[in-house]
Amino acid sequence: MVRVGTLAALAACLLSGCSILPAAGPTASAVVDGAGIATDQGLFARYEIIDVDAATVEGMRGRPLDSLLASFGDRRPALQPLIGIGDTVSVTIWEAGSGGLFSGPAIADRFSSGSKSSTIPEQIVGRDGAISVPYAGRIQVAGKRVQDVQAQIEQELAGKAIQPQVLVTVTSPLSASVTVVGEAASSGGARLASLRGGPASAIGGGRIPLTEKGDRLLDVLASAGGVSAAVNETFVRLSRGQTTVTVPLITVVSNPRENIYLRPGDTLTLVRDPQTFLAIGALGAQAEIPFSADGITVAQALTKARGLSDFQADPAGVFIFRFEPSSVVRRLRPASPLLGTPQVPVVYRFNLRDPNTLFVTQAFRMRNRDLVYVSNAPFTEVQKVLSVFSTVTAPVAAGASIYSVTR
Protein backbone atom coordinates (compact mmCIF):
# COMPACT_ATOMS: atom_id res chain seq x y z
CA MET A 1 0.00 0.00 0.00
CA VAL A 2 2.84 2.39 0.80
CA ARG A 3 4.55 1.69 -2.49
CA VAL A 4 1.37 2.30 -4.48
CA GLY A 5 0.67 5.60 -2.70
CA THR A 6 4.21 6.81 -3.13
CA LEU A 7 4.23 5.92 -6.82
CA ALA A 8 0.95 7.75 -7.36
CA ALA A 9 2.26 10.89 -5.61
CA LEU A 10 5.46 10.91 -7.63
CA ALA A 11 3.54 10.38 -10.87
CA ALA A 12 1.32 13.34 -10.04
CA CYS A 13 4.40 15.40 -9.22
CA LEU A 14 5.96 14.54 -12.60
CA LEU A 15 2.82 15.38 -14.56
CA SER A 16 2.37 18.74 -12.82
CA GLY A 17 6.02 19.86 -13.02
CA CYS A 18 6.52 19.58 -9.28
CA SER A 19 8.10 22.79 -7.93
CA ILE A 20 9.70 21.14 -4.91
CA LEU A 21 12.41 19.56 -7.06
CA PRO A 22 15.81 21.28 -7.11
CA ALA A 23 16.45 23.40 -10.22
CA ALA A 24 18.97 25.93 -11.52
CA GLY A 25 16.22 28.15 -12.89
CA PRO A 26 12.92 28.19 -14.75
CA THR A 27 12.18 25.85 -17.63
CA ALA A 28 11.88 27.19 -21.16
CA SER A 29 8.10 27.04 -20.98
CA ALA A 30 8.13 28.88 -17.64
CA VAL A 31 10.17 31.72 -19.15
CA VAL A 32 7.71 32.03 -22.04
CA ASP A 33 4.62 31.76 -19.86
CA GLY A 34 6.01 34.25 -17.33
CA ALA A 35 6.10 37.13 -19.83
CA GLY A 36 2.54 38.00 -18.85
CA ILE A 37 0.47 37.42 -15.71
CA ALA A 38 -3.31 37.35 -15.64
CA THR A 39 -4.80 39.84 -13.17
CA ASP A 40 -8.28 41.13 -12.39
CA GLN A 41 -7.63 44.01 -14.79
CA GLY A 42 -6.43 41.71 -17.57
CA LEU A 43 -3.04 40.49 -18.71
CA PHE A 44 -0.12 42.26 -17.02
CA ALA A 45 3.01 42.26 -19.21
CA ARG A 46 6.30 41.87 -17.35
CA TYR A 47 8.78 41.49 -20.19
CA GLU A 48 8.93 40.89 -23.92
CA ILE A 49 9.83 37.50 -25.40
CA ILE A 50 11.49 37.85 -28.80
CA ASP A 51 12.53 34.87 -30.91
CA VAL A 52 15.83 35.76 -32.56
CA ASP A 53 16.18 35.28 -36.30
CA ALA A 54 17.89 37.12 -39.15
CA ALA A 55 15.15 39.77 -39.22
CA THR A 56 15.64 40.44 -35.50
CA VAL A 57 19.38 40.93 -35.94
CA GLU A 58 18.79 43.30 -38.84
CA GLY A 59 16.22 45.29 -36.83
CA MET A 60 18.72 45.77 -34.01
CA ARG A 61 21.40 47.30 -36.23
CA GLY A 62 19.81 50.70 -35.70
CA ARG A 63 20.08 50.45 -31.92
CA PRO A 64 20.72 54.02 -30.71
CA LEU A 65 24.07 54.52 -29.02
CA ASP A 66 25.43 57.50 -27.15
CA SER A 67 27.41 59.72 -29.49
CA LEU A 68 29.81 62.58 -28.79
CA LEU A 69 29.24 63.95 -32.28
CA ALA A 70 25.46 63.96 -31.91
CA SER A 71 25.59 65.51 -28.44
CA PHE A 72 28.31 68.15 -28.85
CA GLY A 73 28.94 68.58 -32.55
CA ASP A 74 32.42 68.97 -33.99
CA ARG A 75 33.05 72.69 -34.37
CA ARG A 76 36.69 73.72 -34.36
CA PRO A 77 37.45 76.30 -31.63
CA ALA A 78 38.43 79.85 -32.59
CA LEU A 79 41.83 80.10 -34.26
CA GLN A 80 42.85 82.94 -31.96
CA PRO A 81 42.06 82.01 -28.36
CA LEU A 82 41.10 84.72 -25.90
CA ILE A 83 42.91 85.50 -22.66
CA GLY A 84 40.97 84.36 -19.63
CA ILE A 85 40.90 84.78 -15.88
CA GLY A 86 43.57 82.60 -14.25
CA ASP A 87 45.93 82.68 -17.22
CA THR A 88 49.55 83.65 -16.61
CA VAL A 89 50.70 86.53 -18.81
CA SER A 90 54.14 87.95 -19.56
CA VAL A 91 54.64 91.46 -21.02
CA THR A 92 57.82 92.66 -22.74
CA ILE A 93 58.20 96.32 -23.78
CA TRP A 94 60.74 97.75 -26.25
CA GLU A 95 61.61 101.39 -26.77
CA ALA A 96 63.17 102.99 -29.84
CA GLY A 97 65.99 104.61 -27.85
CA SER A 98 67.69 104.52 -24.48
CA GLY A 99 66.85 106.79 -21.60
CA GLY A 100 63.14 106.05 -21.72
CA LEU A 101 60.81 104.56 -19.12
CA PHE A 102 61.81 101.01 -19.92
CA SER A 103 65.36 101.42 -21.19
CA GLY A 104 68.67 102.98 -20.22
CA PRO A 105 71.06 102.30 -17.32
CA ALA A 106 68.92 104.24 -14.84
CA ILE A 107 66.39 101.43 -14.59
CA ALA A 108 68.36 98.49 -15.97
CA ASP A 109 68.72 96.88 -12.52
CA ARG A 110 64.97 96.83 -12.04
CA PHE A 111 64.23 94.58 -14.99
CA SER A 112 65.71 91.45 -16.50
CA SER A 113 66.23 92.60 -20.10
CA GLY A 114 68.72 94.78 -21.96
CA SER A 115 68.96 98.54 -22.25
CA LYS A 116 66.14 99.01 -24.77
CA SER A 117 63.64 96.43 -23.50
CA SER A 118 62.12 95.35 -20.24
CA THR A 119 60.16 92.25 -19.27
CA ILE A 120 57.53 92.71 -16.62
CA PRO A 121 57.36 89.69 -14.25
CA GLU A 122 54.64 87.14 -15.07
CA GLN A 123 51.19 87.95 -13.71
CA ILE A 124 48.05 85.89 -13.24
CA VAL A 125 44.98 87.53 -14.70
CA GLY A 126 42.91 88.54 -11.68
CA ARG A 127 39.22 88.08 -11.06
CA ASP A 128 38.71 91.58 -12.40
CA GLY A 129 40.15 90.36 -15.70
CA ALA A 130 43.11 92.77 -15.61
CA ILE A 131 46.89 92.89 -15.20
CA SER A 132 49.13 95.73 -14.07
CA VAL A 133 51.57 97.48 -16.42
CA PRO A 134 53.88 100.22 -15.06
CA TYR A 135 52.83 103.68 -16.22
CA ALA A 136 49.74 102.21 -17.91
CA GLY A 137 47.81 101.08 -14.84
CA ARG A 138 45.34 98.19 -14.79
CA ILE A 139 44.80 96.82 -18.29
CA GLN A 140 41.71 94.73 -19.00
CA VAL A 141 42.82 91.59 -20.82
CA ALA A 142 40.19 88.92 -20.11
CA GLY A 143 38.14 88.08 -23.17
CA LYS A 144 40.58 89.83 -25.53
CA ARG A 145 43.06 88.60 -28.12
CA VAL A 146 46.78 88.95 -27.47
CA GLN A 147 47.28 91.43 -30.30
CA ASP A 148 44.43 93.60 -29.01
CA VAL A 149 46.04 93.75 -25.55
CA GLN A 150 49.39 94.66 -27.12
CA ALA A 151 47.81 97.53 -29.02
CA GLN A 152 46.02 98.75 -25.90
CA ILE A 153 49.22 98.81 -23.84
CA GLU A 154 51.07 100.65 -26.60
CA GLN A 155 48.28 103.20 -26.71
CA GLU A 156 48.42 103.72 -22.94
CA LEU A 157 52.23 104.22 -23.05
CA ALA A 158 52.21 106.55 -26.05
CA GLY A 159 53.73 109.89 -25.06
CA LYS A 160 55.32 108.34 -21.97
CA ALA A 161 57.69 105.80 -23.49
CA ILE A 162 59.85 106.22 -26.61
CA GLN A 163 57.83 104.66 -29.45
CA PRO A 164 56.92 101.62 -27.37
CA GLN A 165 56.46 98.18 -28.92
CA VAL A 166 54.78 95.54 -26.75
CA LEU A 167 54.80 91.72 -26.85
CA VAL A 168 52.23 89.88 -24.69
CA THR A 169 52.71 86.13 -24.13
CA VAL A 170 50.30 83.78 -22.37
CA THR A 171 52.70 81.40 -20.64
CA SER A 172 50.08 79.33 -18.80
CA PRO A 173 46.70 79.24 -20.61
CA LEU A 174 44.65 77.66 -17.84
CA SER A 175 41.41 79.12 -19.18
CA ALA A 176 42.01 77.37 -22.53
CA SER A 177 42.65 73.94 -21.07
CA VAL A 178 40.85 70.64 -20.67
CA THR A 179 40.79 68.66 -17.43
CA VAL A 180 41.64 64.96 -17.79
CA VAL A 181 40.97 62.64 -14.85
CA GLY A 182 40.53 58.93 -14.31
CA GLU A 183 42.45 56.17 -16.04
CA ALA A 184 45.00 58.41 -17.77
CA ALA A 185 48.47 56.93 -17.94
CA SER A 186 50.10 60.10 -16.61
CA SER A 187 49.27 63.62 -15.61
CA GLY A 188 49.04 66.40 -18.12
CA GLY A 189 50.84 68.69 -15.72
CA ALA A 190 54.22 68.04 -17.37
CA ARG A 191 53.09 69.49 -20.67
CA LEU A 192 51.52 72.53 -19.05
CA ALA A 193 54.58 73.10 -16.86
CA SER A 194 56.90 72.83 -19.84
CA LEU A 195 55.07 75.73 -21.46
CA ARG A 196 55.98 77.80 -18.44
CA GLY A 197 59.55 76.52 -18.30
CA GLY A 198 59.10 75.00 -14.86
CA PRO A 199 58.86 71.54 -13.29
CA ALA A 200 55.74 69.43 -13.61
CA SER A 201 55.13 69.66 -9.87
CA ALA A 202 54.46 73.36 -10.27
CA ILE A 203 51.10 72.70 -11.88
CA GLY A 204 48.09 70.74 -10.66
CA GLY A 205 47.84 67.44 -12.55
CA GLY A 206 45.32 66.74 -15.25
CA ARG A 207 45.13 70.13 -17.03
CA ILE A 208 45.92 69.93 -20.74
CA PRO A 209 46.18 73.28 -22.58
CA LEU A 210 44.56 73.46 -26.01
CA THR A 211 46.60 74.71 -28.93
CA GLU A 212 45.54 77.35 -31.43
CA LYS A 213 45.11 74.82 -34.23
CA GLY A 214 42.46 72.97 -32.21
CA ASP A 215 42.83 69.64 -30.42
CA ARG A 216 40.68 66.58 -30.87
CA LEU A 217 39.85 64.15 -28.09
CA LEU A 218 42.58 61.66 -28.97
CA ASP A 219 45.12 64.50 -29.21
CA VAL A 220 44.35 65.46 -25.62
CA LEU A 221 44.51 61.85 -24.44
CA ALA A 222 47.92 61.48 -26.08
CA SER A 223 49.12 64.63 -24.28
CA ALA A 224 47.86 63.15 -21.01
CA GLY A 225 49.98 60.05 -21.59
CA GLY A 226 47.31 57.80 -23.07
CA VAL A 227 45.21 55.37 -21.02
CA SER A 228 46.40 52.90 -18.42
CA ALA A 229 43.67 50.30 -19.00
CA ALA A 230 42.89 48.26 -22.10
CA VAL A 231 41.14 50.26 -24.82
CA ASN A 232 38.18 47.86 -24.99
CA GLU A 233 37.66 48.25 -21.22
CA THR A 234 37.84 52.05 -21.14
CA PHE A 235 34.97 54.50 -21.48
CA VAL A 236 35.27 58.21 -22.24
CA ARG A 237 32.97 60.52 -20.27
CA LEU A 238 32.91 64.06 -21.66
CA SER A 239 31.29 66.83 -19.61
CA ARG A 240 30.60 70.20 -21.19
CA GLY A 241 28.37 72.65 -19.37
CA GLN A 242 25.34 70.73 -18.09
CA THR A 243 25.74 67.84 -20.55
CA THR A 244 27.65 64.61 -19.90
CA VAL A 245 27.94 61.78 -22.42
CA THR A 246 29.76 58.46 -22.02
CA VAL A 247 30.98 56.37 -24.95
CA PRO A 248 33.40 53.45 -25.27
CA LEU A 249 36.91 54.56 -26.14
CA ILE A 250 36.99 51.93 -28.87
CA THR A 251 34.14 53.83 -30.54
CA VAL A 252 36.26 56.98 -30.68
CA VAL A 253 39.25 55.03 -31.97
CA SER A 254 37.34 53.15 -34.66
CA ASN A 255 35.05 55.99 -35.77
CA PRO A 256 36.94 59.21 -36.66
CA ARG A 257 33.69 61.21 -36.56
CA GLU A 258 33.50 60.60 -32.80
CA ASN A 259 37.00 62.05 -32.32
CA ILE A 260 35.59 65.55 -31.90
CA TYR A 261 37.30 68.85 -31.11
CA LEU A 262 37.44 69.67 -27.41
CA ARG A 263 36.75 73.14 -26.04
CA PRO A 264 38.16 75.09 -23.10
CA GLY A 265 36.57 74.04 -19.84
CA ASP A 266 35.73 70.49 -20.97
CA THR A 267 36.24 67.70 -18.45
CA LEU A 268 37.34 64.33 -19.79
CA THR A 269 37.00 61.36 -17.45
CA LEU A 270 38.44 57.97 -18.36
CA VAL A 271 36.49 55.16 -16.68
CA ARG A 272 37.62 51.55 -16.67
CA ASP A 273 34.61 49.27 -16.93
CA PRO A 274 35.46 45.70 -18.03
CA GLN A 275 32.75 44.31 -20.30
CA THR A 276 31.24 41.15 -18.82
CA PHE A 277 28.20 38.92 -19.10
CA LEU A 278 26.61 36.53 -16.61
CA ALA A 279 26.30 32.84 -17.52
CA ILE A 280 23.88 30.71 -15.50
CA GLY A 281 21.82 27.57 -15.99
CA ALA A 282 22.77 24.41 -17.89
CA LEU A 283 26.15 25.66 -19.08
CA GLY A 284 29.65 24.32 -18.70
CA ALA A 285 30.61 27.36 -16.60
CA GLN A 286 28.39 29.52 -14.42
CA ALA A 287 30.17 32.76 -13.68
CA GLU A 288 30.65 36.39 -14.62
CA ILE A 289 32.75 36.18 -17.77
CA PRO A 290 34.71 39.06 -19.34
CA PHE A 291 34.42 39.83 -23.04
CA SER A 292 38.23 40.09 -23.37
CA ALA A 293 37.70 41.70 -26.78
CA ASP A 294 35.96 44.55 -28.57
CA GLY A 295 32.48 43.08 -28.23
CA ILE A 296 31.53 39.44 -28.75
CA THR A 297 28.65 37.52 -30.30
CA VAL A 298 26.29 35.04 -28.65
CA ALA A 299 28.25 32.20 -30.25
CA GLN A 300 31.45 33.46 -28.65
CA ALA A 301 29.70 33.96 -25.31
CA LEU A 302 28.44 30.38 -25.27
CA THR A 303 31.94 29.19 -26.11
CA LYS A 304 33.42 31.24 -23.25
CA ALA A 305 30.84 29.60 -20.97
CA ARG A 306 32.12 26.21 -22.19
CA GLY A 307 28.99 25.46 -24.17
CA LEU A 308 25.73 23.80 -23.23
CA SER A 309 25.79 20.92 -20.76
CA ASP A 310 25.25 17.72 -22.79
CA PHE A 311 23.09 15.92 -20.24
CA GLN A 312 21.11 18.87 -18.88
CA ALA A 313 20.65 21.70 -21.37
CA ASP A 314 17.59 22.34 -23.51
CA PRO A 315 18.93 23.57 -26.88
CA ALA A 316 15.60 25.27 -27.51
CA GLY A 317 15.85 27.14 -24.21
CA VAL A 318 18.80 29.52 -24.67
CA PHE A 319 17.88 33.02 -23.48
CA ILE A 320 19.50 36.47 -23.27
CA PHE A 321 18.01 38.74 -20.58
CA ARG A 322 18.58 42.44 -21.27
CA PHE A 323 17.11 45.93 -20.86
CA GLU A 324 16.60 47.56 -24.27
CA PRO A 325 15.74 51.16 -25.20
CA SER A 326 12.07 51.51 -26.10
CA SER A 327 13.09 52.68 -29.59
CA VAL A 328 14.63 49.26 -30.29
CA VAL A 329 11.64 47.37 -28.94
CA ARG A 330 9.31 49.56 -31.01
CA ARG A 331 10.97 48.30 -34.18
CA LEU A 332 10.79 44.68 -33.08
CA ARG A 333 7.43 44.75 -31.25
CA PRO A 334 5.44 47.81 -32.39
CA ALA A 335 2.42 46.80 -30.28
CA SER A 336 4.31 46.07 -27.07
CA PRO A 337 2.46 47.34 -23.95
CA LEU A 338 5.85 48.10 -22.34
CA LEU A 339 6.84 50.89 -24.73
CA GLY A 340 5.86 53.55 -22.20
CA THR A 341 9.08 53.01 -20.24
CA PRO A 342 12.52 54.21 -21.43
CA GLN A 343 14.12 50.80 -20.78
CA VAL A 344 12.12 47.67 -21.61
CA PRO A 345 12.98 44.26 -20.11
CA VAL A 346 13.48 41.88 -23.03
CA VAL A 347 14.19 38.16 -23.19
CA TYR A 348 15.70 36.99 -26.47
CA ARG A 349 15.14 33.30 -27.21
CA PHE A 350 17.44 31.14 -29.37
CA ASN A 351 16.38 27.72 -30.61
CA LEU A 352 19.66 25.91 -31.22
CA ARG A 353 17.79 22.87 -32.52
CA ASP A 354 17.40 24.87 -35.72
CA PRO A 355 20.76 24.83 -37.58
CA ASN A 356 20.00 28.25 -39.09
CA THR A 357 20.05 29.74 -35.58
CA LEU A 358 23.75 28.92 -35.37
CA PHE A 359 24.34 31.55 -38.06
CA VAL A 360 22.22 34.03 -36.11
CA THR A 361 24.27 33.50 -32.94
CA GLN A 362 27.34 34.63 -34.89
CA ALA A 363 25.67 37.94 -35.79
CA PHE A 364 23.80 38.76 -32.55
CA ARG A 365 26.05 41.04 -30.46
CA MET A 366 26.32 40.73 -26.71
CA ARG A 367 25.99 43.82 -24.51
CA ASN A 368 27.69 44.65 -21.25
CA ARG A 369 25.96 42.99 -18.27
CA ASP A 370 23.83 40.67 -20.41
CA LEU A 371 22.56 37.55 -18.66
CA VAL A 372 22.82 34.28 -20.60
CA TYR A 373 20.51 31.58 -19.28
CA VAL A 374 20.11 28.02 -20.57
CA SER A 375 17.18 26.04 -19.16
CA ASN A 376 17.18 22.36 -18.31
CA ALA A 377 15.81 19.90 -20.82
CA PRO A 378 12.45 18.27 -19.93
CA PHE A 379 14.17 14.90 -19.63
CA THR A 380 16.35 16.33 -16.89
CA GLU A 381 13.23 16.92 -14.80
CA VAL A 382 12.18 13.29 -15.43
CA GLN A 383 15.58 12.12 -14.22
CA LYS A 384 15.13 14.14 -11.04
CA VAL A 385 11.73 12.56 -10.40
CA LEU A 386 13.08 9.07 -11.03
CA SER A 387 15.97 9.78 -8.69
CA VAL A 388 13.59 10.88 -5.95
CA PHE A 389 11.43 7.84 -6.66
CA SER A 390 14.37 5.43 -6.33
CA THR A 391 15.49 7.15 -3.13
CA VAL A 392 12.06 6.76 -1.55
CA THR A 393 11.32 3.23 -2.75
CA ALA A 394 14.76 1.74 -2.07
CA PRO A 395 14.17 1.24 1.70
CA VAL A 396 10.78 -0.35 0.98
CA ALA A 397 12.28 -2.72 -1.56
CA ALA A 398 15.12 -3.57 0.82
CA GLY A 399 12.62 -4.29 3.61
CA ALA A 400 10.56 -6.53 1.37
CA SER A 401 13.66 -8.47 0.35
CA ILE A 402 14.71 -9.03 3.97
CA TYR A 403 11.19 -10.11 4.85
CA SER A 404 11.14 -12.73 2.09
CA VAL A 405 14.52 -14.09 3.16
CA THR A 406 13.51 -14.43 6.81
CA ARG A 407 10.47 -16.37 5.83
Side-chain angles (χ1 to χ4, degrees), residues 32-399:
V32 175
D33 296 339
I37 296 179
T39 65
D40 296 338
Q41 291 75 30
L43 187 65
F44 174 70
R46 297 197 297 174
Y47 50 84
E48 281 290 340
I49 289 282
I50 299 178
D51 289 311
V52 181
D53 53 19
T56 304
V57 174
E58 185 63 29
M60 295 182 64
R61 293 189 187 277
R63 186 179 190 270
L65 300 174
D66 289 335
S67 168
L68 298 177
L69 177 65
S71 301
F72 301 109
D74 193 25
R75 183 172 60 85
R76 184 193 295 264
L79 293 178
Q80 296 178 331
L82 305 179
I83 301 174
I85 295 174
D87 290 351
T88 301
V89 177
S90 172
V91 179
T92 301
I93 303 172
W94 283 267
E95 291 188 280
S98 59
L101 293 175
F102 302 95
S103 62
I107 58 172
D109 60 338
R110 296 172 52 192
F111 296 94
S112 61
S113 300
S115 61
K116 292 186 179 181
S117 66
S118 299
T119 299
I120 300 173
E122 292 182 346
Q123 303 177 63
I124 296 177
V125 179
R127 291 184 178 273
D128 61 349
I131 61 173
S132 296
V133 178
Y135 304 104
R138 295 289 287 177
I139 303 296
Q140 289 292 323
V141 299
K144 297 181 179 181
R145 301 179 303 169
V146 168
Q147 54 266 42
D148 295 334
V149 174
Q150 292 174 169
Q152 182 180 355
I153 297 175
E154 290 173 359
Q155 182 179 359
E156 293 292 335
L157 294 177
K160 303 176 184 178
I162 305 173
Q163 299 178 8
Q165 297 292 313
V166 178
L167 176 64
V168 174
T169 304
V170 180
T171 58
S172 178
L174 288 181
S175 66
S177 62
V178 173
T179 301
V180 180
V181 295
E183 296 291 331
S186 63
S187 169
R191 174 184 173 187
L192 189 53
S194 65
L195 295 177
R196 300 183 61 183
S201 60
I203 301 296
R207 284 184 177 268
I208 304 296
L210 300 177
T211 62
E212 292 188 7
K213 71 176 181 63
D215 296 278
R216 295 187 178 275
L217 190 149
L218 293 181
D219 297 330
V220 172
L221 287 186
S223 298
V227 295
S228 58
V231 173
N232 64 295
E233 295 182 354
T234 304
F235 284 74
V236 176
R237 183 171 299 157
L238 177 59
S239 299
R240 178 180 296 170
Q242 301 298 318
T243 304
T244 298
V245 176
T246 303
V247 300
L249 179 57
I250 193 67
T251 299
V252 181
V253 173
S254 59
N255 184 4
R257 291 173 57 84
E258 290 296 311
N259 186 25
I260 65 174
Y261 283 106
L262 297 186
R263 298 182 187 176
D266 284 352
T267 298
L268 201 61
T269 304
L270 302 178
V271 181
R272 182 176 182 269
D273 185 13
Q275 307 294 282
T276 63
F277 68 93
L278 299 175
I280 61 175
L283 288 162
Q286 302 188 39
E288 182 177 9
I289 302 175
F291 283 17
S292 301
D294 174 24
I296 60 174
T297 63
V298 171
Q300 292 172 310
L302 292 176
T303 302
K304 287 179 175 291
R306 297 192 298 184
L308 278 62
S309 177
D310 288 342
F311 300 102
Q312 290 182 307
D314 179 5
V318 178
F319 302 94
I320 303 292
F321 288 73
R322 174 191 298 174
F323 285 94
E324 288 282 19
S326 58
S327 57
V328 173
V329 180
R330 185 173 288 106
R331 287 195 296 271
L332 302 176
R333 290 288 188 272
S336 173
L338 299 172
L339 292 176
T341 58
Q343 297 290 321
V344 179
V346 176
V347 178
Y348 294 102
R349 178 169 59 176
F350 299 81
N351 181 8
L352 297 188
R353 295 187 185 279
D354 180 4
N356 188 59
T357 305
L358 297 178
F359 291 101
V360 175
T361 60
Q362 297 179 61
F364 191 96
R365 306 288 289 183
M366 295 288 292
R367 302 291 179 189
N368 190 26
R369 304 295 188 269
D370 275 355
L371 187 148
V372 179
Y373 172 69
V374 178
S375 62
N376 284 341
F379 182 71
T380 303
E381 305 304 319
V382 175
Q383 286 183 312
K384 292 179 182 179
V385 173
L386 294 178
S387 176
V388 173
F389 176 78
S390 63
T391 301
V392 173
T393 58
V396 178

